[in-house]
Amino acid sequence: MIIKSVALETVCGITSKLPDTDKPEVAFAGKSNVGKSSLINGLMNRKSLARTSAQPGKTQTINYYNINQCLYLVDLPGYGYAKVSIQEKEKWGQMIENYLHTSKQLKAVFLLVDIRHEPSANDKQMYEWVLYQGYEPIIIATKLDKINRSQIQKQLKIIRNGLNLKSGTPIFPYSAQTKQGREEIWEFIEQLL
């Protein structure tokens, strides 16, 4: 995809009403420190439109990025590590659930997991939960540059088994440093649309 225009169009907090958009949406979910903002910036060819931070849990809203006036990348709140109260985490969970239930334009949910580690209990819970909501998550294995080439297939197998992925579920290894995997992810999104 050639990115001609990008805009952070809508930011929805806990009390916001979600927009009724007229363009296809693809959503991104993942743990607080998995590199979601870095991936979204990489896909958009921008350095820092999606706020990245050394402090996990920066995304506490649902952010709609309008790409080329033809689709939305939707950044969902991170789960897991963020140092927030249980009540706050529950509110984020409700926000995500509300989004998955009410978006009429949602075409796919990408679930980001760290390629270096076996999927956490949170990752497994999120995967099951997105399935339960009626979507089949597409997996993006982030932090690809942090492992040796020779380990990639082994780590992907650990993720497949750890999440108990349905047969044929796509997994895209991705590096925010080198942008490896970017083209494959865009190709997949373009096929969806």
Side-chain angles (χ1 to χ4, degrees):
M1 162 117 17
I2 295 158
I3 307 292
K4 297 188 179 96
S5 69
V6 170
L8 172 55
E9 201 165 275
T10 311
V11 176
C12 293
I14 287 162
T15 56
S16 311
K17 184 183 179 310
L18 294 170
D20 203 359
T21 65
D22 58 351
K23 296 172 184 61
E25 298 169 10
V26 291
F28 295 87
K31 241 184 346 205
S32 294
N33 64 343
V34 77
K36 205 157 37 69
S37 298
S38 298
L39 167 77
I40 290 171
N41 283 327
L43 289 174
M44 298 188 299
N45 264 343
R46 297 296 186 273
K47 283 231 171 357
S48 58
L49 193 57
R51 291 214 325 262
T52 57
S53 155
Q55 199 181 359
K58 214 58 186 156
T59 308
Q60 300 180 9
T61 50
I62 297 177
N63 300 332
Y64 289 74
Y65 295 94
N66 186 335
I67 310 294
N68 294 348
Q69 297 296 323
C70 71
L71 97 132
Y72 287 101
L73 298 185
V74 181
D75 187 4
L76 300 173
Y79 57 84
Y81 291 117
K83 290 186 173 111
V84 294
S85 69
I86 290 168
Q87 289 90 340
E88 197 73 15
K89 284 181 186 169
E90 282 170 2
K91 284 179 188 166
W92 295 353
Q94 286 163 353
M95 272 168 67
I96 296 171
E97 186 168 6
N98 183 27
Y99 171 73
L100 294 178
H101 278 304
T102 57
S103 170
K104 295 179 186 76
Q105 297 290 343
L106 183 58
K107 302 298 178 220
V109 178
F110 287 90
L111 178 61
L112 281 64
V113 293
D114 187 328
I115 197 166
R116 300 171 298 177
H117 309 296
E118 192 177 327
S120 68
N122 278 330
D123 292 329
K124 292 174 192 175
Q125 198 178 356
M126 192 62 164
Y127 178 75
E128 292 295 326
W129 189 65
V130 173
L131 273 180
Y132 178 75
Q133 304 294 331
Y135 295 94
E136 293 199 10
I138 298 112
I139 308 303
I140 297 178
T142 60
K143 309 197 187 246
L144 178 61
D145 46 279
K146 305 263 198 270
I147 63 170
N148 292 328
R149 258 198 147 84
S150 60
Q151 296 174 288
I152 296 172
Q153 291 312 315
K154 183 183 129 219
Q155 291 308 113
L156 293 179
K157 189 176 178 193
I158 289 171
I159 291 169
R160 257 184 212 293
N161 295 339
L163 291 175
N164 197 10
L165 292 183
K166 285 184 156 182
S167 167
T169 300
I171 298 188
F172 296 99
Y174 177 78
S175 162
Q177 299 298 314
T178 66
K179 305 291 178 277
Q180 190 179 336
R182 180 182 186 273
E183 294 310 315
E184 293 80 350
I185 295 166
W186 267 125
E187 268 171 40
F188 187 85
I189 291 172
E190 286 173 336
Q191 282 168 7
L192 287 174
L193 308 177

